[in-house]
Amino acid sequence: MSGHDHPQAIGGKMLDPLMKILLAVFGVSALVMAYRFVTGIGSVSNMTDGFTWGIWEPINVVVFTGIGAGAYGVGLLCYLLNKGQYHGLVRPAVLLGAIAYTLGGSSIMIALGRYWNAVTLPIVPWWNLSSALLEVAVCVMMYVMVLWIEVLPAIFDGAAQSKSPRWSAIGKRWGARMAKAMPYIIALAILLPTMHQSSLGGLYLIAGPKLHPLWHTALLPTLFLVSCLSMGYGAVVVLVNILRLNWNAKQDQALFASMSKVNAGFLLLYVVLRLGDIVLHGKLRFLGADFATFLFVVEMALFIAPAVMFVMPGVQRNRGKLFGAALLAILAGAVYRADTYMTMYRPAGWTADGKSIAAGWDYFPSVGETIVTVGMAAVGMAIFVFISRLFPVVVVDQGKKSTIGRGEVRAASGH
Amino acid sequence: MTISRRDLLKGAVAAGAAVAIPATAEARHEIEPLPDAVGMLFDSTLCVGCRACQSACKVANKLPEDKVEANGGVYDAPNDLNSTTKNVIKAFPAGDTQHYMKQQCMHCVDPSCVSVCMLGALHKEGEGKRDFKGEKKGTGIVLWDKWTCVGCRYCQIGCAFNVPKFEWFEAFPAIVKCELCRHRRDEQKSGPLAVANPACCEVCPREAVVFGYRKDLLAEAKRRVAADPQRYNPHVYGEHDGGGTQVLYLAAAGVQFHDLGLPDLPERSQAEFSESVSHAPYLYGVTPIALYAAMAFVINRNKKKEEAAEHGEEGKR
């Protein structure tokens, strides 16, 4: 392991003020959830038969897992393209992914009307393989397990460093066993998100006439796959920046710069695909002085701006600017996903010239719905803090004259 | 140690392939109406809006009133399909008169709700994923099964007619929609009545809505149009719209179906489009397995390379 920095447990007081706030927010949302299970979804949300998914699916599942895709993106670089210098980012990214996906999965259980029947989901002969949602459900459940298995090396590592000889022995033995199995688990951890992130886009293929023509395309699966990567890389940069500010986590700016150049590639690929699709299918006529065009232009700007920033040396060198660009990259994917799932969805559909057809439904998220979403995000942060304090996840900067390996020194000096 | 152009190029090629595959997708075959499918024919030129069908539906399906208070009284007056209303009559002003429209499940030939339903809770009669006793095959009636529905409401996203409804204020909610009064069928009878017996058709005083085999209803609709072309819009809605529906509609001459609340849909069903695009990259399951094997191989090789390099470095020290 000489080429890599060693992550270490952060330690410190568990119930600090931040933790107390996060748990309090989650507590409030747990009350709302409990109320929902007694009185029905309609009593805490503004969801209707017209806007049946509200914000829980679009935000808690589709946006959260996009943020969690950092594990997928870093895994792709580190293991598949063998860029060993990204090793230090793997554990935080995987933990973020495991938490984001777990929250996405739990949010589904709250959103499902007949959640008790979900126990029948593992019955393979009942699977309707035509359903994109079934693909997402099965794939996400498997991926959540895979992600927590990927977190295990950090836990075993922590046990191995423990003072108790018993824990230490267990950690060492299982750590070694895990290391052997890891390549096969990592391959699964790359395959599964490729499948379900594209299926998340594929979900809305069926919505056809209900989705605005500028958003409805056969490329939905591809666009969702590309946007999860741009969100994921952005999320890793943002996460490590926050960890540096709070816990003095090691942040290799040159590494971020090269990862962000990859991200610029994905952001631009998205823009090229989206624009190319619209031009080739003669959808330019839907652009005009209306809300749809405004949103479309906002989305394009949100994808282009971070892409341009990521390739500028001034941004690459500057922590704050790169952090800002990464935030924009997350926002771009999040807005695209929310627009597809909510903003540009109309139950009665759109006319041939792109005007929404009036229906008896309007939607704006209720306070209860929003609290559940915020509470889920809060408990996610709390779990991240909890695990990072107890187990070696984050690589901490040991000081200016560090013992960092030669690989990183080379990376830091050259761009 | 930065990402080389070659890597980016490789990524671009892979992404390009991912895009190209759906484009060359072999389309999932088109679903034809079942030969003995049953359905309804609604002739909006005959409906006078008495709403006897609405009341009969509630009685036949044991649905509670949708109570609306007005003018000091309480009325069962649903303004749309909802969790207590499987059938509704709506009035649409058209020209100098009023047209009445009946709304209920269309029992599509290739239903979106059936295509998207995770465990086949919504399924064509006799073709569900679970072993359903007492269901006849070939009727084409879209049924809902309470044992496999998880309440995800994806059917509501998929249905172009916004038919499936959800019980929003129940702790243990169900999906509510017309099942063509399949429970009122009479095995003693022959023909379509042995399959189902919709209360709305039975009660309609003007036979504005009639029940029967789809093929007969389609022929009847075309006969009416041919017999009195001045009276009718020549288009029989549901013959091909959205891949075809088992409930067919006739409108008055000069009245467009979208003015009566029915969506303009292409002839290709949305389910066929969605399934073709989604399934194509999987190549019947070959792609994921091949991809997994290839990635496991590359990752394993990379790991060994890296371990060898690390031992080398340590040796030099």
Side-chain angles (χ1 to χ4, degrees):
Chain A
M1 294 287 279
S2 66
H4 316 307
D5 300 311
H6 287 288
Q8 64 184 65
I10 301 298
K13 192 170 165 242
M14 197 55 86
L15 271 180
D16 61 354
L18 173 73
M19 192 64 134
K20 282 179 189 160
I21 292 170
L22 292 175
L23 291 179
V25 172
F26 176 66
V28 175
S29 77
L31 290 177
V32 176
M33 290 178 219
Y35 189 68
R36 165 257 174 275
F37 281 109
V38 178
T39 60
I41 299 172
S43 59
V44 299
S45 77
N46 284 344
M47 294 176 205
T48 54
D49 288 317
F51 293 92
T52 189
W53 279 355
I55 54 169
W56 288 349
E57 247 92 351
I59 307 294
N60 301 24
V61 180
V62 184
V63 173
F64 279 16
T65 61
I67 291 169
Y72 171 44
V74 174
L76 216 55
L77 286 177
C78 186
Y79 298 110
L80 201 60
L81 296 175
N82 204 18
K83 306 288 170 197
Q85 69 271 36
Y86 290 102
H87 250 132
L89 300 178
V90 168
R91 281 188 183 179
V94 164
L95 184 56
L96 176 68
I99 292 169
Y101 269 86
T102 306
L103 295 180
S106 337
S107 299
I108 285 267
M109 292 309 289
I110 294 150
L112 285 183
R114 301 172 64 81
Y115 49 88
W116 61 92
N117 272 348
V119 296
T120 60
L121 270 170
I123 304 177
V124 179
W126 291 5
W127 285 2
N128 173 16
L129 294 174
S130 305
S131 171
L133 192 61
L134 178 91
E135 203 280 313
V136 170
V138 171
C139 219
V140 165
M141 281 193 293
M142 283 173 70
Y143 187 50
V144 167
M145 282 187 269
V146 167
L147 278 167
W148 285 109
I149 292 173
E150 281 194 291
V151 173
L152 281 180
I155 310 289
F156 290 137
D157 213 5
Q161 290 164 23
S162 136
K163 285 184 191 95
S164 144
R166 203 165 132 246
W167 281 118
S168 176
I170 290 174
K172 276 177 188 147
R173 184 175 343 124
W174 283 98
R177 285 178 186 171
M178 278 296 296
K180 282 210 181 74
M182 270 327 255
Y184 304 96
I185 293 162
I186 292 164
L188 205 54
I190 296 176
L191 176 70
L192 292 175
T194 313
M195 285 164 65
H196 66 242
Q197 283 293 342
S198 42
S199 291
L200 279 176
L203 268 180
Y204 265 59
L205 289 168
I206 197 85
K210 294 177 168 186
L211 188 55
H212 190 279
L214 285 175
W215 277 263
H216 189 263
T217 153
L219 279 187
L220 272 168
T222 316
L223 289 171
F224 268 64
L225 184 61
V226 175
S227 67
C228 93
L229 285 165
S230 61
M231 288 177 82
Y233 288 126
V236 172
V237 172
V238 168
L239 173 70
V240 176
N241 261 291
I242 294 172
L243 294 179
R244 181 183 64 83
L245 290 172
N246 285 304
W247 293 334
N248 193 29
K250 183 172 170 296
Q251 181 186 328
D252 186 338
Q253 192 64 18
L255 190 61
F256 274 1
S258 57
M259 188 170 79
S260 294
K261 273 193 268 179
V262 177
N263 199 354
F266 281 112
L267 289 160
L268 288 176
L269 176 65
Y270 171 94
V271 172
V272 169
L273 288 173
R274 187 91 192 270
L275 286 177
D277 178 62
I278 280 166
V279 173
L280 285 178
H281 289 98
K283 287 185 178 171
L284 283 175
R285 66 191 179 88
F286 291 109
L287 295 173
D290 58 8
F291 180 63
T293 307
F294 169 73
L295 268 187
F296 181 76
V297 171
V298 167
E299 280 181 23
M300 285 296 116
L302 276 173
F303 274 91
I304 293 169
V308 171
M309 288 170 77
F310 281 147
V311 293
M312 287 167 33
V315 175
Q316 288 173 4
R317 274 193 298 271
N318 184 300
R319 273 178 179 158
K321 284 179 187 167
L322 194 72
F323 177 78
L327 270 181
L328 281 178
I330 301 176
L331 193 64
V335 169
Y336 168 60
R337 284 159 177 247
D339 284 352
T340 307
Y341 268 68
M342 291 192 294
T343 327
M344 297 321 283
Y345 174 88
R346 292 288 180 281
W350 304 82
T351 63
D353 47 336
K355 303 266 176 299
S356 92
I357 299 171
W361 298 286
D362 280 314
Y363 175 74
F364 194 82
S366 75
V367 176
E369 255 173 288
T370 314
I371 285 174
V372 169
T373 297
V374 173
M376 280 292 183
V379 76
M381 288 185 235
I383 296 169
F384 193 97
V385 172
F386 177 80
I387 294 182
S388 313
R389 283 198 190 282
L390 278 186
F391 299 101
V393 171
V394 180
V395 179
V396 176
D397 203 343
Q398 307 287 1
K400 293 282 180 289
K401 286 178 183 170
S402 71
T403 54
I404 51 172
R406 293 199 286 149
E408 278 69 20
V409 174
R410 225 180 294 138
S413 60
H415 53 101
Chain B
M1 293 289 263
T2 52
I3 304 300
S4 73
R5 280 197 180 78
R6 200 166 62 91
D7 291 331
L8 282 179
L9 208 65
K10 272 194 278 182
V13 169
V19 176
I21 291 167
T24 57
E26 192 191 323
R28 180 267 241 169
H29 69 93
E30 194 183 316
I31 292 182
E32 294 291 329
L34 297 163
D36 284 333
V38 291
M40 300 192 287
L41 169 62
F42 177 78
D43 187 334
S44 79
T45 68
L46 294 176
C47 179
V48 291
C50 73
R51 296 189 290 172
C53 57
Q54 219 173 277
S55 306
C57 176
K58 293 225 165 180
V59 174
N61 290 290
K62 299 188 180 68
L63 291 165
E65 292 95 3
D66 189 4
K67 283 178 186 149
V68 174
E69 281 182 50
N71 308 324
V74 181
Y75 302 81
D76 178 18
N79 61 5
D80 202 348
L81 296 176
N82 56 45
S83 59
T84 63
T85 311
K86 293 182 177 182
N87 172 49
V88 72
I89 293 289
K90 288 183 183 172
F92 291 91
D96 52 357
T97 165
Q98 192 90 272
H99 289 279
Y100 295 100
M101 263 306 268
K102 183 174 181 294
Q103 259 191 351
Q104 74 296 305
C105 177
M106 304 290 280
H107 299 279
C108 300
V109 170
D110 186 6
S112 294
C113 61
V114 170
S115 166
V116 303
C117 191
M118 292 201 279
L119 299 172
L122 283 162
H123 60 277
K124 288 256 167 181
E125 185 176 13
E127 293 170 31
K129 300 286 166 188
R130 214 157 63 73
D131 183 22
F132 292 102
K133 293 202 171 60
E135 288 192 8
K136 294 185 184 203
K137 253 187 139 104
T139 69
I141 301 174
V142 178
L143 300 180
W144 176 76
D145 170 39
K146 67 175 175 182
W147 300 105
T148 41
C149 173
V150 297
C152 70
R153 309 188 293 284
Y154 190 16
C155 51
Q156 297 192 304
I157 303 273
C159 180
F161 304 99
N162 294 306
V163 166
K165 300 296 171 192
F166 181 73
E167 294 179 328
W168 289 99
F169 296 93
E170 296 288 335
F172 305 106
I175 292 287
V176 179
K177 76 167 209 50
C178 159
E179 300 188 349
L180 223 53
C181 284
R182 181 183 153 272
H183 64 286
R184 295 176 81 244
R185 75 184 192 273
D186 186 350
E187 303 273 15
Q188 309 302 318
K189 292 193 169 131
S190 61
L193 286 178
V195 171
N197 182 15
C200 54
C201 298
E202 194 179 68
V203 80
C204 181
R206 297 198 20 112
E207 294 191 346
V209 61
V210 288
F211 170 69
Y213 289 122
R214 182 184 188 269
K215 54 178 187 264
D216 298 340
L217 297 172
L218 185 58
E220 169 63 12
K222 287 182 171 170
R223 190 194 63 77
R224 286 186 201 179
V225 171
D228 199 350
Q230 306 295 314
R231 183 183 171 96
Y232 289 104
N233 175 340
H235 178 69
V236 180
Y237 190 96
E239 184 182 8
H240 299 297
D241 306 72
T245 55
Q246 292 178 200
V247 177
L248 305 168
Y249 283 86
L250 283 173
V255 175
Q256 300 300 312
F257 285 99
H258 63 234
D259 293 328
L260 299 175
L262 285 170
D264 291 321
L265 295 176
E267 289 194 1
R268 189 185 184 193
S269 77
Q270 212 56 42
E272 188 201 333
F273 167 74
S274 144
E275 287 180 29
S276 303
V277 175
S278 303
H279 286 179
Y282 285 84
L283 299 173
Y284 303 100
V286 173
T287 324
I289 295 166
L291 207 59
Y292 178 77
M295 288 194 302
F297 172 77
V298 171
I299 293 165
N300 221 354
R301 196 196 54 185
N302 287 345
K303 187 181 167 224
K304 286 194 179 122
K305 257 201 250 171
E306 195 183 338
E307 276 167 2
E310 275 175 14
H311 287 302
E313 270 178 34
E314 270 160 19
K316 268 181 240 163
R317 277 179 201 169

